[in-house]
């Protein structure tokens, strides 16, 4: 279970790993936005070339990307099938009731498939090459302007970083509780849905109670180290904008220009 | 100079419950090591929480380095006291070791460069410099407790409180943490207050306070306290190995002139006795 959430980050030593999380997050979102500008073969080819190029630069093993796609497989399949059989136009090859296999249907299902794949690959790339802590830092820095609207961004950032810090601790604890309950005869892997859900009760209740008591202890420890939630705090970790970030932004601008040129 | 003054402190959690602390008074001189001992439920933890204002006394007064603890002075007083708590997991705030050590410094608005310098120094003081970028999940309990101690050292407090800080550690982790605190006490002259039910740890102290049922039962040096066997038993504690051995020798007819704390003292006393026979 530990591997599932935090193990998705693959440490490395490439340009992409050294980029500032702020620019990585911004570029990922920007890429998802401009993907919808692509509308012909040339523009899709451009975007695919860019995605593959970035994946190559990250030096991350392809099998990690397959793992990123796997949980969304059914969503992709259903969407593609809908596009394939419910879009009409151009030459119709086959028809049955409301369903039809048409020229436009085939083209648009291919486009939808490519769009899906690129969005998933790019967001997987973000989590694969950025430590969770850095993502939290990046989100905080990007949300910082919202302080003007009196949103508690500092508290939110602390909340995210505490949540991330406790994920492995709570995983270990869940395992320990499950083993303790197994030792007393609870069977987690057996029986129908209701039986399995019921078997989780003796895990979830102690987990809840322990989590609250941990939160209490942690609050006391934080307070006695001078945290009061109100005064401004200085920061130990400071994000640094490197030349590679500026280059990445320029690449995105060039990509956008090329994309607008390529589409019809 | 008095570092900690506690005057007639009483505390109850709510109006309809019994007093958890009853009329506790004691003084600690600057640079001393004080151990507060007592079994579970004797009020030790409540006492420490009263010292840094996490709880407000029902009656009585706490004075830290000349400042009386009030609602206004509480944050100033917390700057002077660093507490290492019992459970190493539940006091680890940062996502990595260095972040955790820096947490208290961030709260005090220490500038960036100074903060990095202090974190580095504090981590090398506790021998965890190589672990600076590790995550808590990859550390042992003893290592986490050393990080907690580094977090306190970085804040440079005048008083360090160990609130059963070694009770969840293995013997190696325990002696590591205590060794670091001892070195710190001699080098920087900090006041140490250790709350414990382990009398081996209490033997390191200059003074021991025995707490039972929320009352201060006795105060004295380790030798004075350990020679009062019935007091220790009434408080529900067990003697450390060497005083216990002295006691056992007494019951089997070998009476030694006093209670000893270290094996060396006991050995030389036994040699002397042997040469007289």
């Amino acid at each position: 279970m530990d591997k599932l959430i935090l193990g998705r980050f693959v440490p490395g030593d490439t340009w992409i790993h050294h980029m500032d999380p702020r620019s990585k997050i911004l570029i990922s979102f920007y890429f998802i936005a401009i993907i919808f500008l692509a509308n012909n073969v040339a523009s899709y080819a451009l975007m695919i070339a860019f995605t593959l190029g970035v994946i190559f630069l990250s030096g991350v093993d392809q099998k990690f990307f397959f793992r990123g796609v796997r949980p969304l497989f059914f969503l992709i399949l259903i969407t593609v099938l809908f596009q394939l059989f419910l879009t009409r136009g151009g030459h119709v090859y086959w028809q049955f009731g409301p369903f039809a296999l048409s020229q436009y249907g085939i083209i648009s299902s291919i486009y939808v498939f490519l769009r899906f794949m690129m969005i998933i690959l790019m967001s997987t790339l973000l989590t694969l090459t950025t430590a969770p802590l850095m993502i939290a830092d990046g989100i905080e820095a990007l949300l910082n302007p919202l302080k003007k609207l009196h949103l508690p961004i500092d508290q939110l950032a602390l909340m995210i970083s505490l949540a991330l810090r406790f994920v492995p601790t709570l995983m270990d604890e869940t395992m320990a509780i499950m083993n303790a309950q197994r030792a007393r005869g609870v069977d987690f892997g057996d029986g129908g849905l209701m039986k399995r859900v019921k078997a989780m009760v003796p895990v979830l209740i102690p987990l809840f109670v322990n989590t609250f008591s941990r939160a209490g202890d942690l609050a006391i420890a934080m307070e006695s180290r001078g945290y009061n939630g109100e005064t401004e705090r200085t920061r130990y970790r400071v994000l640094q904008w490197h030349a590679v970030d500026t280059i990445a932004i320029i690449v995105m601008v060039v990509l956008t220009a090329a994309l607008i040129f390529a589409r019809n | 100079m008095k570092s900690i003054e506690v005057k007639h402190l009483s505390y109850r959690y709510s109006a309809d419950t019994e007093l958890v602390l009853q009329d506790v008074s004691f003084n600690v001189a600057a640079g001393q090591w004080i151990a507060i001992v007592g079994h579970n439920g004797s009020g030790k933890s409540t006492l420490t929480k009263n010292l840094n204002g996490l709880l407000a006394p029902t009656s009585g007064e706490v004075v830290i380095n000349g400042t009386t603890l009030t609602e206004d002075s509480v944050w100033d007083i917390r700057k002077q006291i660093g507490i290492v708590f019992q459970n190493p997991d539940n006091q680890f705030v940062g996502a990595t070791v260095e972040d955790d050590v820096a947490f208290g410094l961030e709260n005090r608005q220490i500038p960036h460069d100074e903060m990095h310098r202090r974190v580095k120094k504090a981590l090398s003081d506790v021998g965890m410099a190589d672990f600076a970028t590790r995550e808590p999940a990859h550390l042992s309990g003893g290592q986490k407790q050393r990080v907690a101690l580094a977090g306190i050292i970085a804040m440079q407090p005048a008083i360090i409180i160990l609130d059963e800080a070694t009770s969840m550690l293995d013997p190696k982790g325990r002696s590591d943490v205590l060794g670091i605190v001892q070195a710190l006490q001699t080098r920087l002259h900090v006041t140490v207050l250790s709350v414990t039910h382990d009398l081996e740890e209490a033997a390191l102290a200059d003074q021991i306070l025995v707490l039972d049922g929320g009352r201060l039962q006795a105060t004295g040096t380790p030798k004075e306290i350990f020679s009062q066997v019935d007091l220790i038993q009434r408080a529900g504690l067990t003697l450390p190995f060497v005083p216990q051995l002295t006691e056992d020798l007494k019951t089997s007819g070998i009476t030694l002139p006093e209670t000893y704390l270290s094996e060396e003292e006991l050995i030389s006393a036994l040699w002397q006795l042997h040469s007289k026979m």
Side-chain angles (χ1 to χ4, degrees), chain A residues 55-258:
Chain A
I55 288 175
F56 174 72
L57 271 181
S58 75
V60 178
D61 197 337
Q62 288 114 340
K63 68 170 190 256
F64 289 107
F65 290 100
F66 285 119
R67 277 190 212 157
V69 176
R70 214 160 42 191
L72 294 167
F73 176 74
F74 279 103
L75 186 66
I76 300 173
L77 190 74
I78 290 167
T79 319
V80 167
L81 288 179
F82 265 100
Q83 288 288 334
L84 191 60
F85 292 112
L86 293 176
T87 314
R88 275 155 206 271
H91 186 77
V92 179
Y93 304 103
W94 173 82
Q95 198 157 9
F96 175 77
F99 305 107
L101 194 62
S102 68
Q103 191 187 357
Y104 284 8
I106 292 172
I107 293 173
S108 79
S109 66
I110 292 173
Y111 282 173
V112 163
F113 174 74
L114 289 174
R115 223 181 258 169
F116 251 116
M117 288 303 285
M118 282 191 277
I119 291 174
I120 296 167
L121 288 177
M122 282 302 270
S123 44
T124 311
L125 190 71
L126 174 71
T127 55
L128 283 176
T129 59
T130 320
L133 191 62
M134 295 305 275
I135 294 182
D137 275 357
I139 291 172
E140 186 199 352
L142 292 173
L143 290 180
N144 222 20
L146 295 180
K147 272 191 202 162
K148 293 242 159 49
L149 301 175
H150 301 288
L151 288 174
I153 301 302
D154 291 331
Q155 279 93 321
L156 190 74
L158 188 71
M159 215 166 80
I160 296 174
S161 101
L162 281 176
L164 284 174
R165 173 249 170 283
F166 272 99
V167 167
T169 312
L170 292 181
M171 285 287 178
D172 287 350
E173 183 151 311
T174 312
M175 284 300 170
I177 295 172
M178 283 177 83
N179 284 338
Q181 300 292 12
R182 271 194 199 107
R184 289 160 179 76
V186 179
D187 191 352
F188 291 108
D190 204 42
L193 185 67
M194 272 314 281
K195 199 172 169 232
R196 285 198 198 191
V197 170
K198 273 186 189 156
M200 285 314 282
V201 173
V203 175
L204 290 178
I205 289 174
L207 194 64
F208 257 86
V209 173
N210 286 357
T211 306
F212 278 107
S213 96
R214 267 181 205 283
D217 281 0
L218 187 72
I220 285 175
M222 284 169 66
E223 228 184 277
S224 46
R225 281 161 79 180
Y227 182 78
N228 64 11
E230 283 157 18
T231 45
E232 196 70 31
R233 306 171 66 227
T234 47
R235 296 193 57 89
Y236 179 76
R237 258 175 304 113
V238 177
L239 296 173
Q240 267 177 336
W241 192 268
H242 300 287
V244 62
D245 296 300
T246 316
I247 294 169
I249 299 281
I250 294 169
V251 168
M252 290 315 284
V253 173
V254 172
L255 181 75
T256 314

Side-chain angles (χ1 to χ4, degrees), chain B residues 6-188:
Chain B
V6 175
K7 297 174 189 163
H8 306 290
L9 181 73
S10 294
Y11 184 82
R12 65 170 99 228
Y13 278 95
S14 61
D16 51 350
T17 54
E18 280 179 55
L19 284 169
V20 186
L21 293 172
Q22 297 178 49
D23 196 30
V24 175
S25 302
F26 64 91
N27 293 322
V28 184
Q32 265 204 317
W33 182 315
I34 289 280
I36 297 178
V37 300
H39 63 87
N40 292 337
S42 59
K44 304 183 303 270
S45 293
T46 312
L47 180 58
T48 44
K49 284 181 188 151
N50 271 287
L51 292 183
N52 84 336
L54 286 168
L55 298 176
T58 309
S59 65
E61 206 175 49
V62 173
V63 184
I64 304 291
N65 283 337
T67 313
T68 308
L69 180 62
T70 61
E71 218 166 296
D72 297 320
S73 68
V74 65
W75 293 102
D76 286 325
I77 283 183
R78 283 184 193 165
K79 280 183 188 168
Q80 302 178 46
I81 303 179
I83 308 185
V84 183
F85 292 94
Q86 179 174 24
N87 187 324
D89 249 324
N90 295 1
Q91 57 182 314
F92 209 110
V93 186
T96 66
V97 167
E98 51 181 358
D99 283 307
D100 187 63
V101 177
F103 180 76
L105 302 176
E106 291 178 325
N107 292 335
R108 289 183 192 180
Q109 293 152 299
I110 308 286
H112 183 261
D113 293 339
E114 166 81 2
M115 190 145 65
H116 276 258
R117 210 174 47 73
R118 282 211 214 169
V119 168
K120 221 172 164 183
K121 176 81 175 62
L123 281 176
S124 71
D125 278 351
V126 301
M128 290 291 288
D130 295 340
F131 297 81
T133 54
R134 295 283 190 94
E135 286 165 20
H138 302 136
L139 301 177
S140 73
Q143 288 172 328
K144 275 181 229 172
Q145 215 58 328
R146 283 198 268 166
V147 173
L149 196 54
I152 304 303
I153 294 171
M155 293 194 285
Q156 301 169 348
I159 300 163
I160 293 180
I161 298 179
L162 306 175
D163 188 358
E164 301 198 36
T166 61
S167 65
M168 293 179 87
L169 304 182
D170 56 25
K172 169 84 170 73
R174 174 178 309 195
S175 64
D176 279 355
V177 169
L178 291 176
I180 293 164
V181 177
Q182 264 188 313
L184 210 67
Q185 190 209 6
T186 37
R187 189 157 55 87
L188 299 174

